Amino acid sequence: MPSVCEALSAIEVMQAAAAARAEEAEKRKRRSKDFYASQPWRRLRYAALRANREKHGCITCEVCGSTEGPFDCDHITPLSKDWSKRLDPANVQIACRACNFGKGNRDSIDWREPAP
Ligand SMILES: [Zn+2]
């Protein structure tokens, strides 16, 4: 059985680890918020919307084909999985809000191309 001092030390270690995880999560959240407000992202987003409109005749969800907005510019490979692809034009597709929220960061299907 651990002594009181050992138990308190273990609790302090766990609290420090939890604080470090919370700080890291806050950093990721701030980085993401700053990124989505940045001019490079807004330019890429606009270019993707424009290319989608030229391809389909009107802005169209690449996943379900809906022409009802609002639309999101979705990262095919989620940024939580590969931050380096955040401004890669090949890593974005247009998705309606429902499809984008349904996808979340759980898969990396490129809906722009027909299924193999
Ligand atoms: Zn959709």
Side-chain angles (χ1 to χ4, degrees):
M1 175 178 233
S3 71
V4 171
C5 286
E6 289 170 332
L8 288 174
S9 179
I11 290 170
E12 287 170 356
V13 167
M14 288 188 301
Q15 287 175 333
R21 284 193 303 274
E23 186 176 326
E24 193 56 40
E26 187 58 36
K27 273 187 199 171
R28 282 195 305 274
K29 192 175 167 184
R30 250 193 329 271
R31 180 176 74 167
S32 181
K33 185 178 176 190
D34 290 347
F35 169 69
Y36 285 114
S38 73
Q39 194 64 13
W41 167 249
R42 288 180 177 168
R43 286 196 179 122
L44 175 59
R45 179 183 178 279
Y46 182 82
L49 285 165
R50 184 176 174 161
N52 178 282
R53 181 174 178 256
E54 288 170 3
K55 177 180 174 186
H56 298 286
C58 62
I59 297 175
T60 303
C61 176
E62 300 282 3
V63 181
C64 72
S66 172
T67 56
E68 300 292 321
F71 295 100
D72 292 328
C73 188
D74 169 54
H75 284 97
I76 297 165
T77 298
L79 298 190
S80 61
K81 305 244 189 302
D82 189 347
W83 178 253
S84 73
K85 291 184 176 179
R86 67 192 177 280
L87 288 173
D88 180 355
N91 190 42
V92 295
Q93 61 191 349
I94 303 304
C96 72
R97 183 74 36 94
C99 286
N100 194 26
F101 282 11
K103 173 189 176 244
N105 67 352
R106 289 177 298 281
D107 75 44
S108 300
I109 295 175
D110 183 346
W111 292 91
R112 297 170 301 174
E113 303 299 330

